[in-house]
Amino acid sequence: MSGPATHTLPLVLAGPLQAWGSSSRFARRGTENAPTKSGVVGLLAAALGRDRTADLSDLAALRYGVRADQPGIRVRDYQTAHHLVTGVSMPVSERFYLSDAVFIAAVEGEPELVGELYEAVRGPVYLPYLGRRSCPPSRPLDLGEPVAGPVEEVLRDQPWQASAWYQRRVGRRQGPEIELGTLVDADPGDGRADSLRDLPLSFDPRHRRYGLRAVRSGSVAVPNPFPRRVKTAPDHEPLSALGGP
């Protein structure tokens, strides 16, 4: 587990469209079901004003976790383009997005670096986007100042960030708590972990490189502001209509 000196910065990632690809190839550009670590590290590097060829080792070393507050709907789009010089039509590309999704992403590390990231997302050098340049956020990214503690605690303690209409629609079918899925960087040797090629090593356009990282899926329960109303039967005494002795 992480030491007590670490701080965690929570971020809300919400927008009409998001796209978090980890294995896109050629004309087919997919998206994962949740924001990737490489995508969020890229967002933070842009907020800091780092060049694509800059060293990423400090950001890649941050522990990362994400919570799906509103999973969204996967949509597909087809795009065409023409060569800038020759005008020749390029192959049609198939692109996938998450529509109307809301996530909480959290990064954990040394307080000084996490504090620098907090200031950067509040006043970014380069405008942030949710995986692709065509996907701007619909809300400010920060959810307040960094807090002491690990990623797991932050994902557990943050209020439900889904849109109000989604909270009403889903919450009214649930009890006093809502269960939300999480995906968190796993500790070394965790036998329950899965591997993803999602550890950013370089964003250099000439040679982008990604390593494997271990992740563990789970869930947390958060308060439901619109819980289902439980109807109770009124008190009834069938013999009362006959009168007392």
Side-chain angles (χ1 to χ4, degrees):
M1 295 296 292
S2 301
T6 60
H7 282 191
T8 298
L9 174 66
L11 305 170
V12 59
L13 306 176
L17 294 174
Q18 305 187 33
W20 306 98
S22 64
S23 59
S24 297
R25 292 292 184 273
F26 306 108
R28 183 181 175 89
R29 302 292 178 175
T31 179
E32 299 294 329
N33 293 327
T36 57
K37 182 173 184 175
S38 57
V40 172
V41 165
L43 182 154
L44 295 172
L48 289 167
R50 294 191 184 181
D51 188 82
R52 286 183 176 271
T53 59
D55 180 32
L56 297 173
S57 57
D58 57 341
L59 300 182
L62 296 166
R63 286 195 74 228
Y64 174 73
V66 62
R67 189 181 86 186
D69 286 39
Q70 185 174 327
I73 299 172
R74 188 180 296 266
V75 297
R76 179 170 57 183
D77 183 35
Y78 294 97
Q79 296 187 11
T80 60
H82 292 79
H83 193 280
L84 185 62
V85 177
T86 65
V88 175
S89 296
M90 307 296 288
V92 175
S93 64
E94 185 180 27
R95 303 192 178 216
F96 292 84
Y97 300 85
L98 297 177
S99 174
D100 286 333
V102 181
F103 301 95
I104 290 182
V107 291
E108 174 192 346
E110 295 299 322
E112 183 177 353
L113 174 58
V114 173
E116 184 181 355
L117 294 174
Y118 170 65
E119 296 298 332
V121 296
R122 289 176 59 86
V125 176
Y126 301 118
L127 293 178
Y129 49 86
L130 306 180
R132 294 187 189 135
R133 291 189 182 91
S134 59
C135 303
S138 59
R139 308 182 193 175
L141 296 176
D142 74 277
L143 284 170
E145 296 183 355
V147 296
V151 164
E152 290 86 350
E153 291 182 5
V154 171
L155 296 182
R156 181 196 66 200
D157 295 340
Q158 282 293 325
W160 195 14
Q161 296 295 321
S163 303
W165 66 266
Y166 184 86
Q167 290 190 12
R168 287 192 296 269
R169 190 183 74 180
V170 174
R172 288 170 180 171
R173 301 197 299 263
Q174 305 290 332
E177 291 186 324
I178 292 288
E179 188 170 311
L180 304 174
T182 61
L183 199 65
V184 180
D185 280 350
D187 294 323
D190 190 335
R192 300 170 297 170
D194 298 315
S195 294
L196 294 177
R197 188 164 294 280
D198 181 37
L199 183 66
L201 303 177
S202 173
F203 290 142
D204 189 333
R206 298 167 297 182
H207 185 42
R208 293 184 176 91
R209 293 183 294 122
Y210 302 90
L212 293 173
R213 70 182 182 99
V215 297
R216 178 167 41 84
S217 58
S219 63
V220 295
V222 300
N224 178 8
F226 300 100
R228 177 181 62 243
R229 294 182 180 180
V230 179
K231 296 182 180 180
T232 58
D235 294 334
H236 177 59
E237 173 54 59
L239 298 180
S240 62
L242 303 178

